[in-house]
DNA sequence: TATGATGCTTCGGAAATCGAAGCGCAAGGA
DNA sequence: TCCTTGCGCTTCGATTTCCGAAGCATCATA
């Protein structure tokens, strides 16, 4: 895995999360568990092939698990999203700064 | 920008941060400001063309600024990374869980 | 029986990323 | 003055990733 040669877990994490849709998938699964197609719908109809790939990676990383015909966060995954939750508040401030400085 | 049509800032943020090297660049600039080539070196020699693109995007998003021949986080960027700091602790727990459950 | 939903897989084309090379500039030494 | 070094990029061809539409097998409902 890219970034893994550094031996620093944070680099591995930043790499994994820096793949298209990865963060979004975790975020959506935190809102509520979902099946494949529902997840796809929630993520602005992302392509099924990429969703398959990301779900494989996230499962291999033990952040997501599949059960009862649906995907959900593992405990590790939930802890991760919990850490990321303040992003929501930050992004609102960010958007407001956008408006106030927009040309 | 992808995700922007939702009107939800968090989606825009998750999209921006979910691009290759974006998170890493912010992380590195938080450790210390850096020039182009140094940044490239710190990010495992990422390709110069992508670094140019990411820096443009991050500057357009007002997370990074250029000054005195070097790149550094803006206040918004610093706030973002501050929010992300707990990722470091989480990633260590994650890595440990990896070891303890490795086959 | 057929109709729709689900979890995918396949495939061709578009876009993003990579890696190596090179350019113009500035500073420092010999 | 020439030479080297480091700098911030840019260019370009090759590879990888992503997209989007289609299709398939399965199950539930009508």
């Amino acid at each position: 895995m890219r970034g893994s040669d550094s031996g620093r877990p944070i680099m591995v994490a930043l790499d994994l999360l820096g793949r298209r849709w990865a963060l979004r998938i975790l975020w959506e699964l935190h809102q509520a568990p979902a099946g494949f197609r529902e997840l796809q719908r929630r993520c602005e109809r992302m392509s099924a092939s990429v969703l398959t790939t990301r779900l494989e990676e996230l499962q291999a990383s033990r952040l997501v698990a599949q059960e009862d015909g649906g995907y959900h966060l593992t405990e590790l995954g939930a802890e991760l999203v919990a850490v990321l939750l303040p992003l929501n508040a930050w992004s609102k401030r960010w958007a407001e700064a956008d408006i106030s400085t927009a040309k």
Side-chain angles (χ1 to χ4, degrees), chain A:
Chain A
M1 177 182 285
R2 207 170 351 105
S4 60
D5 54 334
S6 63
R8 289 167 296 181
I10 182 64
M11 298 312 172
V12 183
L14 293 181
D15 173 50
L16 178 65
L17 301 179
R19 296 182 192 176
R20 210 140 288 170
W21 298 111
L23 279 168
R24 176 67 178 266
I25 290 170
L26 293 172
W27 194 268
E28 291 295 341
L29 286 182
H30 179 256
Q31 308 298 302
F36 188 93
R37 270 173 133 102
E38 189 194 336
L39 204 44
Q40 196 183 358
R41 254 177 267 125
R42 284 206 235 149
C43 295
E44 298 159 60
R45 296 189 168 60
M46 67 175 293
S47 103
S49 42
V50 183
L51 180 52
T52 299
T53 308
R54 283 298 97 82
L55 284 173
E56 282 170 3
E57 293 169 353
L58 293 174
Q59 287 181 94
S61 305
R62 297 172 344 281
L63 302 183
V64 167
Q66 193 173 16
E67 210 173 7
D68 304 326
Y71 294 95
H72 60 91
L73 295 181
T74 63
E75 199 175 323
L76 271 171
E79 286 173 16
L80 170 57
V81 177
V83 157
L84 297 176
L85 278 184
L87 256 185
N88 197 25
W90 174 86
S91 71
K92 287 177 186 167
R93 268 181 282 135
W94 180 46
E96 283 162 18
D98 235 340
I99 293 163
S100 61
T101 60
K103 60 280 171 202

